[in-house]
Amino acid sequence: MKIKNRKKEYDYGECEICNTSMEEKYIKQDFWIRGELIVVEDVPAGVCPQCGEKVVKADVGRRITRLLENTERIAKAPKISVPTIKFDKEKTEV
């Protein structure tokens, strides 16, 4: 399997939280829409190696919005089962 060579062209600057230089990475970003979890993969983002803060460029944010508005594409996307457990506030044992 060959991995695509992706250009890193954008300078994300420093993290707004801890002032560490951001690094470009390709991340998975999750969104809850009407009670449904949707994961967008391969999102180019600036990620802080110190605290984990993530930022995306405005044009990337607009493209994600268009993806999330495309109900037909979402309906055709592969589905996965995600385990869910309920937090029991009465018990403190793990």
Side-chain angles (χ1 to χ4, degrees), residues 7-92:
K7 279 187 183 180
K8 295 183 179 182
E9 298 176 1
Y10 188 75
D11 179 4
Y12 288 91
E14 291 187 350
C15 175
E16 293 287 327
I17 307 298
C18 68
N19 298 320
T20 302
S21 291
M22 302 290 266
E23 298 175 354
E24 186 174 65
K25 298 195 182 248
Y26 290 83
I27 64 170
K28 292 180 183 179
Q29 185 64 56
D30 57 286
F31 300 89
W32 282 96
I33 299 174
R34 292 181 292 282
E36 186 175 30
L37 175 62
I38 299 173
V39 178
V40 180
E41 296 183 316
D42 295 327
V43 176
V47 180
C48 177
Q50 182 70 30
C51 71
E53 177 72 3
K54 299 175 195 122
V55 296
V56 297
K57 298 186 307 183
D59 66 311
V60 171
R62 286 189 293 274
R63 288 174 50 203
I64 289 171
T65 298
R66 285 194 302 274
L67 280 173
L68 296 175
E69 290 171 343
N70 187 337
T71 55
E72 185 176 314
R73 184 169 181 179
I74 291 171
K76 291 180 180 179
K79 306 285 189 257
I80 61 171
S81 175
V82 178
T84 58
I85 54 176
K86 188 170 183 161
F87 178 74
D88 186 352
K89 57 187 168 195
E90 298 298 321
K91 295 182 182 181
T92 56

